[in-house]
Amino acid sequence: MAFEFIKKLPTPDEIREEFPLPPALRELKQQRDAEIKDVITGKSHKFLVIIGPCSADNEEAVCDYISRLARVNEKVKDKLILIPRIYTNKPRTTGEGYKGIIHQPDPEKKPDFLAGLIAMRKMHIRAIEESGLTAADEMLYPENWRYLSDILSYVAIGARSVEDQQHRLTVSGFDVPAGMKNPTSGDFSVMLNSVYAAQHPHSFIYRGWEVNTTGNELAHTILRGAVNKYGRSLPNYHYEDLNTLIQLYGERNLQNPACIIDTNHSNSNKQYEQQVRIAKEVMHNRKLNPDIRCLVKGLMIESYIEGGCQKIGEGIYGKSITDPCLSWEASERLIYDLAEYE
């Protein structure tokens, strides 16, 4: 056999029992979930800002960053809802490179999945305790959802996962908003088909169980740019792109039309400092067009303490070891500017 079975990992129930979310934090999550849901459904006119490191590689730096974010949140909470990115799984285009804390709790050491599951959960809980902010993560592995399903307030489905049946079906059982990114090809119909699938009930096999889901009315779209056949990035956050998405939503029977704009990745060609300009263009377009204002519910921004990125082993505190991120100073200024638009 080509598989080597190394050790059986604890089930989500076992991990959750060993590292439970305290009752006070469960209540806090319920409040945050309700506020975020109201934005997606249009009941609230607040604006979502999903912001934080490309990858949550270091608990100390991540929690430091999120505590800073919490202080800013207090100043803008009448207009914005800040949702920290705590991304613990990272898709790798070639399969090589750092895959997230669940693989490697220490990026400089070999994979340790048991330690990774524990580190992932402990970091998420600590972040809520210290900041009062519940977080977003990417669901790279659908079978891992229940390790964090009692903690997360937002989930993203990546460009390479959005066409996968298991991801779509698993999202249909979520009770929190799930953003379905456009695929790397940029095809809007693929993204919208994914939203349709996620919003409807399904029966399938999940973690060895036959399950039924009710559908997730909070599934929505994320525009992250595309890559053409020559490998060049094509942004899709412009005024014309948003009008096209509005038209395509109108042709489909989808609940709660909503879109988040990812300001990095192919939208910025990974030129991380361009995220500021892109965010402001999106906000300007929301002011120009009430239909765009109604559709675009938030932004996704890659940001950390130090700007840019570093190689694993360089040891610069609060600097990304995956995609380059906006610095804290630039991020703080941008958040206040976004609040001014609202």
Side-chain angles (χ1 to χ4, degrees):
M1 290 179 67
F3 281 86
E4 178 188 359
F5 289 82
I6 299 168
K7 61 184 174 185
K8 188 171 178 60
L9 295 170
T11 66
D13 285 343
E14 289 168 341
I15 290 284
R16 287 163 66 151
E17 186 176 342
E18 187 174 357
F19 302 98
L21 187 67
L25 300 189
R26 288 202 297 269
E27 185 176 333
L28 173 64
K29 173 177 151 51
Q30 289 176 352
Q31 294 170 359
R32 289 265 296 173
D33 287 356
E35 291 175 5
I36 296 166
K37 176 181 179 179
D38 284 349
V39 175
I40 298 295
T41 61
K43 186 176 179 181
S44 166
H45 295 296
K46 290 185 180 181
F47 193 71
L48 304 179
V49 181
I50 304 161
I51 185 168
C54 174
S55 56
D57 61 297
N58 178 286
E59 181 180 313
E60 291 301 322
V62 167
C63 289
D64 178 355
Y65 173 91
I66 294 171
S67 292
R68 299 180 189 203
L69 203 63
R71 292 192 288 272
V72 175
N73 185 66
E74 283 301 307
K75 299 176 183 178
V76 299
K77 63 183 181 181
D78 58 327
K79 296 181 178 180
L80 307 178
I81 298 177
L82 304 187
I83 305 174
R85 285 172 51 109
I86 304 182
Y87 277 35
T88 55
N89 304 275
K90 292 305 299 178
R92 311 310 301 184
T93 306
T94 64
E96 296 181 346
Y98 177 66
K99 298 181 179 69
I101 202 168
I102 195 171
H103 281 253
Q104 291 171 272
D106 185 333
E108 297 184 51
K109 295 181 179 178
K110 292 182 179 180
D112 185 337
F113 289 92
L114 175 57
L117 288 172
I118 294 170
M120 171 179 70
R121 190 162 174 89
K122 287 177 69 176
M123 178 168 57
H124 269 285
I125 292 173
R126 177 182 169 185
I128 302 172
E129 286 175 331
E130 294 183 359
S131 71
L133 302 179
T134 50
D137 202 345
E138 179 172 351
M139 190 183 69
L140 185 57
Y141 307 107
E143 63 272 21
N144 287 348
W145 158 244
R146 290 191 62 251
Y147 286 109
L148 290 176
S149 59
D150 61 327
I151 289 177
L152 297 176
S153 284
Y154 187 93
V155 178
I157 305 300
R160 297 163 189 81
S161 302
V162 74
E163 297 187 65
D164 176 65
Q165 184 83 334
Q166 189 75 359
H167 282 81
R168 294 177 174 192
L169 300 187
T170 303
V171 170
S172 74
F174 286 10
D175 59 357
V176 296
M180 318 298 273
K181 290 195 174 186
N182 64 261
T184 52
S185 69
D187 190 333
F188 280 14
S189 65
V190 168
M191 172 179 64
L192 290 164
N193 286 341
S194 189
V195 172
Y196 183 93
Q199 288 192 354
H200 286 76
H202 298 282
S203 301
F204 56 102
I205 297 171
Y206 185 74
R207 295 189 62 90
W209 286 79
E210 177 183 342
V211 299
N212 292 326
T213 58
T214 57
N216 180 0
E217 66 170 358
L218 305 177
H220 58 276
T221 57
I222 300 177
L223 297 182
R224 49 86 71 200
V227 179
N228 70 11
K229 64 182 180 180
Y230 303 110
R232 294 173 183 161
S233 291
L234 301 173
N236 60 11
Y237 60 86
H238 294 308
Y239 188 90
E240 295 78 11
D241 299 300
L242 299 176
N243 273 329
T244 297
L245 183 56
I246 290 168
Q247 178 186 339
L248 292 172
Y249 255 119
E251 295 171 1
R252 290 163 170 79
N253 184 26
L254 294 170
Q255 302 176 75
N256 303 314
C259 180
I260 304 293
I261 307 299
D262 181 343
T263 61
N264 212 11
H265 298 100
S266 291
N267 270 334
S268 70
N269 195 24
K270 295 190 178 180
Q271 303 299 307
Y272 68 97
E273 292 174 317
Q274 292 297 314
Q275 292 184 99
V276 174
R277 177 189 59 79
I278 293 166
K280 290 181 177 180
E281 179 178 325
V282 172
M283 300 306 283
H284 178 66
N285 287 336
R286 289 179 82 243
K287 274 199 164 185
L288 287 177
N289 187 326
D291 291 335
I292 290 178
R293 184 177 182 86
C294 186
L295 178 74
V296 177
K297 308 288 189 181
L299 295 168
M300 186 172 282
I301 300 164
E302 290 195 314
S303 155
Y304 212 174
I305 296 171
E306 299 295 334
C309 63
Q310 63 180 321
K311 293 180 180 178
I312 292 173
E314 288 187 42
I316 302 172
Y317 179 79
K319 193 169 189 176
S320 176
I321 60 171
T322 46
D323 288 350
C325 295
L326 206 60
S327 71
W328 171 251
E329 290 77 12
S331 303
E332 185 178 18
R333 278 197 307 274
L334 176 59
I335 292 169
Y336 292 137
D337 287 345
L338 295 177
E340 287 298 315
Y341 276 97
E342 292 300 295

